[in-house]
Amino acid sequence: MDFDHSERAQLLIPQLERFMAEEILPNQQTYYDQLVHSNDYRQWRVPPIMEELKAKARNAGLWNLFLPDEQYGAGLDNRDYAPLAEITGRCPIAPEVFNCAAPDTGNMEVLVRYGSPEQKERWLKPLLAGEIRSGYSMTEPAVASSDATNMKATCEVDGDEVVINGQKWWTSGAGDPRCKILIFMGVTDPGADRLKRHSMVLVPLDTPGVKILRMLPVLNSLDEPHGHAEILFENVRVPLTNIIHGPGRGFEIAQGRLGPGRIHHCMRLIGASERALQLLCQRGLGRIAFGKPLVELGSNRDIIANARLAIDQARLLTMKAAWALDKRGTFGALNDISAIKVVAPNVLQHIVDAAIQIHGGEGVSDPELSRLLGMARALRLADGPDEVHRRQIAKLELSKYLRKS
Ligand SMILES: Cc1cc2nc3c(=O)[nH]c(=O)nc-3n(C[C@H](O)[C@H](O)[C@H](O)COP(=O)(O)OP(=O)(O)OC[C@H]3O[C@@H](n4cnc5c(N)ncnc54)[C@H](O)[C@@H]3O)c2cc1C
């Protein structure tokens, strides 16, 4: 296994770190000050500082770093992207600044790999330019969606159109005023083989019959201006040419999409864990109780040491998954991706919990710690709950022995 970064990545790392220090971190508070908080998502606005920062990042060549395809993006492989994504993970607004934020990254990857020339021209181009944003509608309120074959929503072919019906929720990003397109997944042919029943369809958000019912709170935050929408699709008609890669190819695309998407989250979670540990250490060194800095009390040094061990192990596991993805593709890296998808959010959740604890009462009211905790907790569910990934890991482990017996 080779975790070395290319010369190009080694040049990009300090450049990105400088951009973070000089442009993003000093403007982070401005971003949050400019946010419009409202229960009505239609009132939400994109903080103007975001578009200013995006323009600067694009001019600096720090753009679409996640895309391994050189024709469309930076052309870095996953091993090279990992340290960059980790740096952006230290600040929640950073990934978007570099046009590297979910769910657009996964959606762009789908269009690069599976989109028709017209689909690329109409939707990929403005996504790559950071002019619009997108959502991914797979999860449904009515069924246990961690088993994606449960999906009930339909997208039936009717002549040269597709007719879409059903209810989805947790479509992240659909509250953003710039969100123009959804990738919807539903059943096209209920009689087909289990993994060939579904299709992915491009559905412009302003198509008649698409109705946003509400934005779901995540631990009491609506995550403005991004939002996580519950959406009703009622006799929505789009051209047949909006099906991606042809009818019945939904699962094939989903696997391709979720591989890189999942690992990108994990790379950023390592950076978020580093940030949580930094906050923990700074607080522990700077506050005195019982005549000593907090880090000298009880088992606080052990907590810090264990956090360091956990982050370094998670980083190595992430690099292993990145290496496997580069070498063997998504299907050859499924187990490694599942492993890090379980480990990374749990490591962050554990460390941020300790950081909150050492901050005392202030810990539960600190907005940055709350955001980090929310991120960790949600990512133990999004892109598949921990248990589903453990199931995949156990399946492979057991297969070694079942084959022998
Ligand atoms: C913040 C956030 C953002 C999201 N963004 C998106 C998005 O953009 N698009 C989208 O389509 N979806 C999105 N999701 C949805 C997410 O992918 C689903 O919530 C997840 O796949 C679980 O599906 P479910 O909610 O239906 O839970 P269920 O399938 O009902 O599962 C509930 C629980 O059952 C248990 N369970 C399930 N399977 C097993 C098993 N094999 N073994 C043991 N226990 C098990 C687990 O504890 C699991 O958490 C998002 C979710 C969150 C929280």
Side-chain angles (χ1 to χ4, degrees), residues 136 138-139 143-146 170 172 228 378 381 383 385 387-388 391:
Y136 182 66
M138 184 161 160
T139 305
V143 296
S145 301
S146 49
W170 293 112
S172 298
H228 308 275
L381 293 161
D383 285 351
E387 294 83 352
V388 172
R391 183 181 149 96

Side-chain angles (χ1 to χ4, degrees), residues 139-161:
T139 305
E140 299 178 7
V143 296
S145 301
S146 49
D147 175 358
T149 61
N150 277 342
M151 231 177 288
K152 289 279 177 289
T154 54
C155 44
E156 289 163 334
V157 176
D158 180 20
D160 57 2
E161 288 187 322

Side-chain angles (χ1 to χ4, degrees), residues 175-224:
D176 190 310
R178 297 161 301 179
C179 183
K180 301 294 175 211
I181 187 75
L182 303 176
I183 295 183
F184 171 98
M185 188 163 167
V187 178
T188 8
D189 179 2
D193 181 81
R194 233 169 114 251
L195 298 178
K196 297 208 168 130
R197 284 176 200 163
H198 300 78
S199 304
M200 284 201 194
V201 191
L202 286 158
V203 182
L205 203 53
D206 60 2
T207 314
V210 178
K211 192 170 167 201
I212 294 185
L213 301 176
R214 61 169 175 151
M215 293 295 155
L216 296 144
V218 178
L219 298 178
N220 220 22
S221 160
L222 286 173
D223 204 2
E224 304 97 333

Side-chain angles (χ1 to χ4, degrees), residues 27 71 151 173 328 387:
N27 282 305
Q71 189 189 343
M151 231 177 288
R328 307 186 196 129
E387 294 83 352

Side-chain angles (χ1 to χ4, degrees), residues 6-21:
S6 69
E7 269 177 42
R8 179 137 176 261
Q10 287 177 36
L11 288 174
L12 279 168
I13 291 168
Q15 209 187 332
L16 195 73
E17 273 171 343
R18 226 177 8 257
F19 195 95
M20 288 284 288

Side-chain angles (χ1 to χ4, degrees), residues 229-251:
E230 180 163 1
I231 308 178
L232 182 65
F233 296 81
E234 248 179 347
N235 292 319
V236 176
R237 285 183 172 267
V238 295
L240 186 59
T241 49
N242 280 29
I243 291 194
I244 303 172
H245 200 39
R249 314 294 290 269
F251 270 100

